[in-house]
Amino acid sequence: MSKKLFVEIVSPEREIWAGEGDMVIAKTVDGEIGVQPGHVPVLAVLAHDAVVRVLGARETGEVVAAAHSGFVSVSGEGRVSILAETAELAEDIDVDRARTALTSASEGGDDIALGRARSRLRAAGEEVA
């Protein structure tokens, strides 16, 4: 049996998801990071428009979440913590509401809100320009 990572995605309000996975891919301010079992400890700053993917999780084989600002923490014991200011699982995203937020942010020139709306749509599997 291969080793698994223990992954948790949390926001200040609640735990969004926790479980095992084979690999975590997350967008940081320095680019995407991929973490597999045996990865060295690291602390990275999560991008404000991040999408986090946990491969090899659940029956579906993947957990996808939009996560905004915060940190990715990897311990030497195979624990990956996504500590986000806000986070939402792909299946919980209201696509129509995210599209409305994207339009409002575009018109208002709010780059942070624009990034968050884009990441929510990408996490939900929608095409975003």
Side-chain angles (χ1 to χ4, degrees):
M1 177 183 253
S2 66
K3 284 187 163 186
K4 293 270 193 179
L5 297 167
F6 178 77
V7 184
E8 60 185 342
I9 302 171
V10 297
S11 72
E13 292 83 33
R14 65 186 178 97
E15 179 179 83
I16 307 302
W17 182 83
E20 291 186 332
D22 297 323
M23 182 176 190
V24 175
I25 300 169
K27 184 178 178 187
T28 72
V29 295
D30 294 319
E32 281 197 327
I33 183 173
V35 178
Q36 292 181 309
H39 199 285
V40 297
V42 67
L43 180 64
V45 178
L46 194 63
H48 71 272
D49 61 345
V51 173
V52 175
R53 296 174 55 212
V54 183
L55 307 179
R58 292 188 181 164
E59 317 70 58
T60 60
E62 184 175 39
V63 169
V64 180
H68 315 290
S69 301
F71 300 94
V72 177
S73 172
V74 180
S75 77
E77 292 82 43
R79 183 180 195 97
V80 179
S81 299
I82 307 296
L83 310 165
E85 185 179 301
T86 62
E88 193 172 5
L89 290 177
E91 60 262 26
D92 296 335
I93 293 172
D94 180 334
V95 173
D96 292 332
R97 187 169 158 230
R99 287 210 178 277
T100 300
L102 180 70
T103 301
S104 295
S106 295
E107 292 170 354
D110 185 341
D111 290 338
I112 300 288
L114 185 63
R116 288 182 178 191
R118 284 184 175 147
S119 72
R120 292 177 73 226
L121 288 168
R122 284 195 310 268
E126 299 290 311
E127 290 290 321
V128 182

